[in-house]
Amino acid sequence: MTQYKFKINGKPYEVSVNGIADGKADVTVNGVNYSVDIESAPAAAPSAAPAAAPAPAQAAAAPAAQAAPASGKKITSPLPGVIIDVCVKDGEAVKKGQKLAVLEAMKMENEILAETDGTVTKIFVNKGDSILEGADIAIIS
């Protein structure tokens, strides 16, 4: 895994290139996994950084494929913003309509709610994370 720190339009991004195969790069940007289509193949593995840098912009068009458990309801972000609170933990039982996280977007707080009863099997975000529309927030099984 190769790790980079980028500053794009004044915002910091921590990017990890986890692997490249079949014209796709598996990258992690600020703790969120993305599968990014590579339009031009890198000459060597270290050159993967330029392909990974646009990941924040591309991810809005193509939400990430996660290496998370296949079963369960994936809760995703309805719009880009900043996570200002995470209200549940992995393994916690939740009810439909229960607040999972709070997302600040366009100067408004948006509650991210459980869409089903179940147990939180994975939380993908942390307080302070900048996320894009369609980014995974949690999985409820």
Side-chain angles (χ1 to χ4, degrees):
M1 172 177 17
T2 308
Q3 296 183 338
Y4 301 93
K5 290 187 178 186
F6 295 102
K7 194 168 262 194
I8 302 171
N9 295 330
K11 291 188 175 187
Y13 293 92
E14 291 185 25
V15 178
S16 299
V17 179
N18 305 317
I20 299 174
D22 301 324
K24 292 191 180 287
D26 176 33
V27 298
T28 303
V29 180
N30 291 348
V32 179
N33 290 336
Y34 298 96
S35 178
V36 180
D37 292 326
I38 300 175
E39 292 183 8
S40 60
S47 300
Q58 290 177 342
Q66 296 294 330
S71 63
K73 174 70 176 160
K74 192 179 287 187
I75 309 299
T76 59
S77 176
L79 50 153
V82 176
I83 298 293
I84 60 171
D85 194 15
V86 177
C87 306
V88 295
K89 297 178 184 173
D90 285 346
E92 186 173 328
V94 295
K95 297 281 186 190
K96 182 177 181 176
Q98 182 176 338
K99 183 172 32 171
L100 302 175
V102 180
L103 174 73
E104 182 180 294
M106 300 183 296
K107 298 183 182 182
M108 295 186 64
E109 292 184 8
N110 300 276
E111 293 182 348
I112 306 300
L113 306 177
E115 297 176 8
T116 184
D117 292 349
T119 302
V120 177
T121 56
K122 178 77 175 156
I123 296 284
F124 295 100
V125 297
N126 295 304
K127 186 175 182 177
D129 286 354
S130 293
I131 62 171
L132 299 170
E133 179 178 355
D136 292 339
I137 293 176
I139 293 183
I140 300 174
S141 306

